[in-house]
């Protein structure tokens, strides 16, 4: 926690990665409460409100650092964003996520069927069915994140070709998770639309 | 002779002297100014001991009156007496609801309306500045010195244009703005500090003209806003309006003169306030037309005619909870803010929704100003042992216009501020040297459905092939929630930036329905979006083939060239329609017809490269 010890902006190194910024190990599995409390502790040190009556340079620096801390927190807080960030640190190409051709046909078909089920339930204004679909998907997502965590852990400790192979496997899982998260958000939107 | 002591510059003889700062609640109906004295936040009264300053300004031939003085003339001089000016802040003429029933002479000016008064045309910023000036003078008189600065509160749901207008008004009134603070957040500070509250709190803030809901997490001196929502055109005024309409209908009144309308409206407001403590309110009036009103408004009728307004506030409440990923049971307490929350039907609806009694132990009229005063004291540098930190969010998503009128969201709503996001873009045409940047705010997918905040151009991009330039657009939202945007071409280092100043905007109704619409139309939007995307794709393909024909046309036989040109025309026709399948088919055809051509061009390029000629030479040859 070197970042916290010296506190004052100016002596603080923002260039380090998000995990190091919060004094956390570079691991997909993180303690959410620990992250929350370190986020608050960091903001207490760097937030512009702390420097409202300071000089221009200090105020600019504070704005920069508080922005940096917010960005890191947003990234680490959400599992999908955290996974995509971590895999980048481990050496994956930034653009891997956009390569949807890499997904197998059976996965895409299953996704399409789920989407249709959601659209049908929304059309029928069937909130219970939407709830069931969401709970199912939610459960599966959690299992998929668990699997991803194991793959990322192996990728982190491997090297060379072994690491590259694990990274490809992690990329594949992340691509699937992007679909599933989007679907989960869509179910939420559909429920919200029915509610209003 | 007595020697005068002269202190060294910058060295005060009272090093612990407090820096004078105030918190200002600039309300739709009433405004207040407060400060911290001996550790306690107090509202500053006028010389007659009144704490509220009615947000009313009257312009006469030789100046202006503010507050009660102006309010006294609102019936006799409605045209020159401006009430509820907050509803016009950052708004164009088209944005203002019910303007036909208002007594003002409006003038549509770029960006914001103007009001014609006896003192000439006035913008809402100037009118607000006159109110702020009165509050500043009250503060200086009470504290006995110049102010270091002020914290001014704004509805959490105010957009960038409305925030900027408020900040401009403060500057015009000679106030140094320490911070624009969201009203519900200010209330949470006042409540949280006074009650040493910990946990999750909801702030339900129904003011004169705006509604906000914020969900906050309070833990060990940190006030973290988790989500916020609302309606910047819904407030106590609308309840008055409902009573007003009921009176006209029940008493069968003929169309009213502006004076009579103001008169009936003030009777409506009195009846509303009376019903807070009584079961029925008598409404009697004699109009200038000779007509007589003699009615009784019961609590039941009042609840009935305002039911839809109460329901309208609960939608943003549910949305804010969802955005915070919390349920009703996670909320430890509900803080009620704004005079309009005194209405029994509001208390009941909120209590039923949250399954607990709302917290009413702070004066709903004063709590925002008191919280603002505490924050002003902190920001002025008057530190105390129990410092706290505030982490607030932006209420609406910020994005950019893309090809085809689509919005690319850069910063999503409810992001903690300050925040910055950068995104890389590229050019669409070969040799493109300028890029138009259009910044918008809102949740919908199409630019035309969002609020336009600013437009600017990045010029001087070196000519390159389409897609080769790397333009990084950066959004920065500061701790006041105000946005600045810059664009930079990475390879040449050309830069352009703006602090976002509102260009023109949406109507109040549109703002009010923006979030809701975004959901209702999401399916519709997705279809339109898919169509736009494919149209853009088609255009890109056409331009690429045309440019290839121009540079390497000699590689084609006449009949080949004719077939390709026919395919282009067919695709152009299909892209004008709305059938995605037709467009896709036409694109496939053009693709197939240019396959051989592409192979031949590739060969040519390889041969040219093998001949050892530089790219610059090749480019020079091509442009001839």
């Amino acid at each position: 926690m070197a970042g916290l010890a010296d506190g004052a902006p100016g002596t603080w190194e923002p260039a380090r990665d998000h995990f190091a910024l919060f004094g956390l190990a570079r691991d997909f599995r993180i303690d959410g409460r620990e992250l929350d409390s370190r986020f608050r502790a960091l903001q207490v040190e760097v937030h512009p409100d702390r420097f409202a009556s300071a000089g221009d340079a200090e105020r600019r620096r504070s704005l920069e650092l508080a922005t940096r801390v917010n960005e890191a927190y947003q990234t680490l807080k959400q599992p999908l964003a955290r996974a995509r960030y971590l895999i980048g640190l481990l050496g994956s190409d930034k653009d891997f996520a956009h390569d949807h051709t890499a997904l197998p046909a059976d996965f895409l078909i299953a996704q399409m069927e789920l989407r249709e089920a959601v659209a049908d339930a929304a059309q029928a204004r069937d909130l219970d069915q939407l709830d069931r679909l969401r709970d199912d998907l939610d459960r599966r997502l959690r299992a998929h994140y668990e699997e991803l965590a194991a793959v990322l852990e192996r990728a982190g400790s491997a090297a060379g070709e072994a690491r590259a192979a694990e990274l490809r496997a992690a990329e594949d899982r992340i691509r699937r998770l992007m679909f599933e998260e989007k679907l989960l958000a869509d179910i939420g939107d559909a429920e919200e639309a029915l509610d209003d | 002779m007595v020697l005068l002591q002269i202190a060294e510059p910058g060295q005060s003889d009272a090093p612990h002297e407090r820096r004078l700062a105030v918190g200002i609640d600039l309300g739709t109906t009433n405004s207040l100014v407060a400060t911290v004295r001996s550790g306690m936040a107090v509202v500053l009264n006028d010389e007659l001991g009144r704490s509220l300053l009615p947000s009313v300004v009257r312009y006469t031939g030789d100046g202006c009156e503010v507050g009660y003085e102006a309010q006294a003339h609102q019936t006799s001089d409605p045209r020159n007496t401006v009430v509820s000016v907050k509803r016009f802040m950052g708004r164009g003429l088209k944005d203002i609801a019910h303007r036909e029933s208002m007594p003002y002479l409006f003038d549509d000016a770029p960006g914001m309306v103007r009001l014609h008064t006896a003192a000439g045309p006035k913008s809402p910023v100037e009118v607000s500045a006159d109110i702020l000036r009165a509050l500043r003078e009250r503060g200086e008189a009470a504290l006995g010195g110049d102010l270091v600065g002020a914290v001014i509160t704004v509805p959490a749901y105010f957009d960038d244009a409305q925030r900027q207008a408020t900040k401009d008004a403060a500057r015009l009134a000679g106030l140094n703005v320490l911070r624009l603070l969201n009203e519900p957040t200010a209330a949470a500070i006042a409540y949280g500090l006074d009650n040493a509250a910990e946990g999750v709190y909801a702030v339900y803030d129904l003011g004169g003209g705006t509604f906000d809901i914020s969900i906050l997490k309070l833990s060990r001196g940190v006030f973290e806003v988790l989500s916020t929502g609302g309606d910047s055109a819904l407030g106590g005024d609308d309840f008055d309006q409902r009573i007003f309409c009921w009176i006209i209908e029940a008493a069968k009144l003929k169309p009213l003169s502006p004076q009579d309308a103001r008169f009936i409206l003030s009777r409506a407001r009195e009846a509303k306030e009376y019903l807070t403590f009584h079961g029925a309110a008598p409404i009697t009036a004699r109009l200038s037309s000779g007509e007589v009103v003699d009615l009784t408004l019961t609590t039941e009728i009042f609840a009935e005619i305002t039911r839809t307004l109460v329901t309208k506030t609960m939608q943003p409440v549910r949305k804010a909870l969802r955005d915070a990923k919390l349920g009703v049971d996670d909320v430890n307490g509900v803080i009620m803010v704004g005079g309009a929350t005194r209405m029994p039907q509001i208390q009941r609806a909120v209590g039923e929704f949250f399954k607990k009694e709302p917290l009413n132990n702070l004066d709903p009229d004063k709590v925002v100003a008191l919280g603002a005063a505490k924050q002003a004291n902190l920001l002025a540098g008057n530190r105390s042992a129990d410092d706290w930190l505030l982490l607030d969010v932006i209420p609406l998503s910020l994005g950019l216009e893309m090809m085809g009128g689509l919005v690319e969201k850069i910063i999503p709503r409810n992001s903690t501020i300050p925040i910055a996001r950068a995104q890389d873009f590229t050019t669409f045409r070969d040799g493109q040297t300028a890029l138009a940047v259009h910044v918008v705010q809102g949740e919908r997918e199409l630019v035309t459905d969002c609020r336009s905040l600013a437009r600017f151009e990045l010029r001087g991009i070196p000519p390159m092939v389409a897609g080769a330039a790397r333009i990084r657009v950066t959004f920065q939202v500061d701790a006041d929630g105000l946005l600045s945007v810059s664009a930079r071409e990475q390879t040449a280092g050309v830069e352009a930036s703006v602090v976002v100043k509102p260009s023109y905007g949406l109507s109040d109704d549109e703002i009010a329905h923006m979030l809701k619409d975004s959901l209702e139309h999401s399916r519709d939007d997705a279809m339109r979006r898919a169509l736009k995307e494919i149209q853009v794709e088609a255009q890109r393909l056409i331009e690429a083939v045309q440019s290839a024909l121009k540079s390497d046309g000699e590689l084609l036989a006449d009949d080949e060239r004719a077939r390709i040109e026919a395919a282009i025309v067919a695709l152009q026709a299909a892209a004008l329609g709305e059938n995605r399948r037709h467009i896709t088919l036409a694109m496939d055809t053009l693709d197939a017809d240019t396959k051989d051509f592409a192979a031949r061009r590739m060969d040519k390029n390889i041969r040219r490269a093998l001949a050892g000629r530089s790219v610059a030479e090749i480019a020079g040859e091509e442009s001839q």
Side-chain angles (χ1 to χ4, degrees):
Chain A
M1 294 295 294
L4 279 184
D6 38 39
T11 59
W12 199 65
E13 185 46 67
R16 65 183 89 184
D17 72 62
H18 294 347
F19 291 97
L21 186 67
F22 286 97
L24 296 167
R26 196 186 272 192
D27 190 348
F28 179 70
R29 290 194 182 93
I30 56 173
D31 180 342
R33 281 194 193 175
E34 191 62 33
L35 177 69
D36 288 353
S37 77
R38 292 192 186 187
F39 163 66
R40 279 187 225 111
L42 277 180
Q43 282 294 11
V44 164
E45 300 301 329
V46 301
H47 195 276
D49 283 0
R50 301 302 223 194
F51 301 89
S53 44
D56 271 359
E58 247 183 318
R59 289 218 311 264
R60 261 202 309 277
R61 176 98 176 131
S62 144
L63 176 66
E64 219 172 86
L65 294 181
T67 300
R68 170 83 176 84
V69 170
N70 277 335
E71 185 205 339
Y73 180 58
Q74 290 304 321
T75 305
L76 294 189
K77 200 166 66 166
Q78 304 154 17
L80 185 59
R82 182 165 75 238
R84 292 179 67 172
Y85 177 74
L86 176 59
I87 201 173
L89 292 181
L90 294 175
S92 263
D93 188 315
K94 208 172 85 190
D95 291 327
F96 82 89
H98 304 296
D99 185 10
H100 296 305
T101 54
L103 284 166
D106 57 342
F107 172 79
L108 292 174
I109 290 167
Q111 282 296 303
M112 217 116 81
E113 283 166 359
L114 271 174
R115 289 198 163 269
E116 276 163 23
V118 172
D120 288 347
Q123 193 87 46
R125 306 185 66 83
D126 188 346
L127 258 176
D128 291 340
Q129 173 65 4
L130 284 174
D131 267 346
R132 270 194 297 278
L133 286 165
R134 194 192 45 202
D135 289 348
D136 274 2
L137 187 58
D138 208 40
R139 212 173 6 255
R140 250 176 303 157
L141 263 171
R142 251 174 290 160
H144 291 167
Y145 278 122
E146 271 308 306
E147 292 162 17
L148 174 64
V151 179
L152 284 170
E153 201 170 351
R154 287 200 297 274
S157 52
E161 293 219 350
R163 167 178 278 200
E166 297 290 2
L167 282 182
R168 296 295 90 76
E171 285 171 5
D172 180 60
R173 284 169 191 283
I174 290 175
R175 273 189 217 104
R176 291 166 190 247
L177 280 162
M178 285 167 67
F179 270 82
E180 290 169 333
E181 285 278 14
K182 176 76 173 63
L183 183 57
L184 195 64
D186 288 349
I187 297 177
D189 285 353
E191 289 189 317
E192 203 162 306
L194 287 186
D195 176 48
D196 282 350
Chain B
M1 180 179 164
V2 181
L3 289 173
L4 293 171
Q5 285 189 321
I6 299 172
E8 269 181 47
Q11 201 182 41
S12 166
D13 54 350
H16 296 299
E17 195 181 356
R18 295 192 76 75
R19 294 154 63 90
L20 306 178
V22 294
I24 290 176
D25 174 1
L26 183 61
T28 307
T29 318
N30 293 300
S31 296
L32 295 98
V33 54
T35 194
V36 172
R37 262 188 193 144
S38 339
M40 284 278 289
V42 289
V43 171
L44 300 173
N45 296 339
D46 67 8
E47 63 280 6
L48 294 175
R50 298 173 299 199
S51 56
L52 299 180
L53 178 74
S55 303
V56 183
V57 184
R58 179 186 179 220
Y59 292 96
T60 60
D62 47 279
C64 76
E65 299 165 341
V66 181
Y68 288 104
E69 239 181 313
Q71 200 177 35
H73 290 98
Q74 64 167 328
T75 305
S76 61
D77 188 14
R79 185 156 290 167
N80 294 309
T81 310
V82 187
V83 302
S84 299
V85 70
K86 192 171 174 179
R87 291 197 154 194
F88 308 151
M89 291 291 270
R91 290 288 172 261
L93 182 61
K94 279 182 289 190
D95 307 330
I96 295 164
H98 310 301
R99 64 176 185 276
E100 59 291 336
S101 68
M102 293 175 182
Y104 314 118
L105 291 175
F106 285 110
D107 193 3
D108 198 7
M112 227 183 291
V113 292
R114 300 283 187 278
L115 306 172
H116 277 286
T117 71
K122 292 285 173 185
S123 83
V125 169
E126 293 169 276
V127 181
S128 299
D130 286 326
I131 299 169
L132 287 170
R133 198 172 292 116
L135 294 167
R136 191 197 81 202
E137 284 162 6
R138 185 188 289 189
E140 284 173 348
L143 298 175
D146 287 345
L147 303 177
V148 169
V151 165
I152 298 174
T153 61
V154 289
Y157 213 57
F158 253 23
D159 65 24
D160 200 88
Q162 293 166 307
R163 284 169 200 269
Q164 199 71 61
T166 306
K167 209 166 179 179
D168 290 347
R171 212 168 295 136
L172 210 56
L175 280 166
N176 170 36
V177 180
L178 295 167
R179 173 78 71 239
L180 293 181
L181 180 61
N182 290 327
E183 286 160 11
T185 313
I189 290 174
Y191 179 86
L193 294 176
D194 284 0
N195 297 277
E198 294 266 313
V200 174
Y201 284 80
V203 181
Y204 181 102
D205 180 358
L206 189 62
T210 57
F211 172 65
D212 282 329
I213 175 78
S214 288
I215 312 289
L216 293 101
K217 186 156 85 182
L218 279 55
S219 69
R220 276 167 295 157
V222 179
F223 293 77
E224 186 182 356
V225 181
L226 301 176
S227 66
T228 195
D231 189 330
S232 63
L234 173 65
D237 285 2
D238 297 291
F239 289 75
D240 301 347
Q241 190 74 30
R242 289 284 164 94
I243 299 177
F244 174 83
C245 293
W246 177 80
I247 295 174
I248 288 177
E249 217 179 285
K252 302 188 175 58
L253 298 179
K254 294 191 197 71
L256 302 172
S257 68
Q259 284 82 357
D260 282 343
R262 273 273 170 92
F263 182 49
I264 294 288
L265 199 56
S266 59
R267 281 294 146 93
R269 174 167 302 188
E270 286 161 20
K272 175 187 73 177
E273 285 163 7
Y274 193 80
L275 284 178
T276 297
F277 302 107
H278 304 84
I283 302 170
T284 55
R286 182 179 292 278
L287 303 182
S288 61
S289 62
E291 292 169 285
V292 175
V293 175
D294 188 6
L295 298 165
T296 302
L297 179 64
T298 63
T299 319
E300 289 74 30
I301 299 175
F302 183 40
E304 186 53 42
I305 60 177
T306 58
R307 189 181 307 281
T308 51
L309 294 176
V310 178
T311 312
K312 221 173 148 188
T313 68
M314 298 317 287
Q315 286 168 9
V317 173
R318 284 193 293 270
K319 177 183 269 305
L321 273 175
R322 270 192 299 262
D323 282 354
K325 298 193 170 63
L326 293 173
V328 160
D329 298 330
D330 298 315
V331 176
N332 298 88
V334 189
I335 302 164
M336 300 296 267
V337 184
T341 59
R342 288 197 179 94
M343 286 185 278
Q345 66 267 48
I346 295 284
Q347 291 279 334
R348 204 162 47 237
V350 172
E352 278 167 15
F353 179 82
F354 284 101
K355 296 187 262 176
K356 51 178 68 73
E357 279 296 303
L359 301 163
N360 286 306
N361 51 341
L362 278 170
D363 184 339
D365 286 326
K366 292 182 180 166
V367 57
V368 167
L370 295 174
K374 287 173 190 258
Q375 192 68 13
N377 191 52
L378 182 78
L379 294 181
N382 298 322
R383 293 244 170 149
S384 60
D386 60 342
D387 275 3
W388 62 92
L389 178 70
L390 193 61
L391 299 170
D392 219 322
V393 301
I394 52 161
L396 295 158
S397 303
L398 295 162
L400 280 178
E401 173 170 357
M402 306 299 293
M403 288 297 298
L406 302 175
V407 178
E408 175 81 15
K409 277 181 195 164
I410 308 291
I411 301 182
R413 72 167 189 264
N414 289 322
S415 294
T416 308
I417 51 174
I419 189 164
R421 270 294 149 79
Q423 192 129 327
D424 288 344
F425 295 93
T426 188
T427 44
F428 181 66
R429 289 194 174 77
D430 288 348
Q432 184 177 340
T433 56
L435 183 87
V437 178
H438 183 201
V439 185
V440 298
Q441 186 164 32
E443 310 308 319
R444 297 286 300 275
E445 292 197 0
L446 294 177
V447 166
T448 43
D449 298 329
C450 289
R451 187 176 188 84
S452 169
L453 290 181
R455 291 171 190 274
F456 68 99
E457 282 199 348
L458 175 67
R459 295 186 169 280
I461 302 169
M464 282 180 254
V465 228
R470 193 70 46 233
I471 296 139
R472 174 157 295 183
V473 179
T474 307
F475 278 46
Q476 169 84 56
V477 181
D478 66 16
D480 286 322
L482 292 171
L483 172 69
S484 54
V485 179
S486 62
R488 184 184 163 85
E489 204 290 308
Q490 303 284 84
T491 51
V494 196
E495 194 153 355
S497 67
V498 284
V499 169
V500 170
K501 279 276 183 182
S503 46
Y504 197 75
L506 291 172
S507 74
D508 279 355
D509 273 357
E510 279 173 80
I511 270 278
H513 292 297
M514 234 181 327
L515 279 167
K516 189 161 160 278
D517 282 1
S518 139
L519 290 163
E520 280 174 1
H521 296 283
S522 57
R523 183 193 299 256
D524 205 23
D525 272 351
M527 299 284 287
R528 283 154 84 190
R529 185 175 187 124
L531 177 65
K532 288 274 187 191
E533 269 170 4
I534 196 140
Q535 285 170 333
V536 169
E537 204 52 52
Q539 190 56 33
R540 197 192 296 271
L541 179 62
I542 291 169
E543 291 192 8
V545 175
Q546 280 172 336
S547 135
L549 283 177
K550 207 171 143 200
S551 59
D552 297 317
E554 81 282 354
L555 298 172
L556 291 168
D558 285 351
D559 61 324
E560 288 171 322
R561 191 187 178 106
R563 198 164 56 235
I564 290 172
E565 276 167 349
I568 290 177
V569 173
L571 178 55
Q572 279 169 334
L576 289 175
E578 303 206 317
N579 189 319
R580 270 155 61 202
R581 226 174 75 82
H582 287 172
I583 303 174
T584 315
L585 284 174
M587 283 172 74
D588 290 346
T589 308
L590 179 57
D591 234 343
D593 288 343
T594 52
K595 212 168 170 187
D596 284 351
F597 181 36
R600 273 177 244 165
R601 290 185 68 217
M602 195 84 76
D603 276 357
K604 180 186 165 193
N605 287 341
I606 292 167
R607 278 199 303 276
R608 194 155 42 188
L610 289 177
R613 295 163 64 189
S614 75
V615 175
E617 278 176 300
I618 295 165
E621 184 185 282
E622 276 183 357
S623 67
Q624 278 162 16

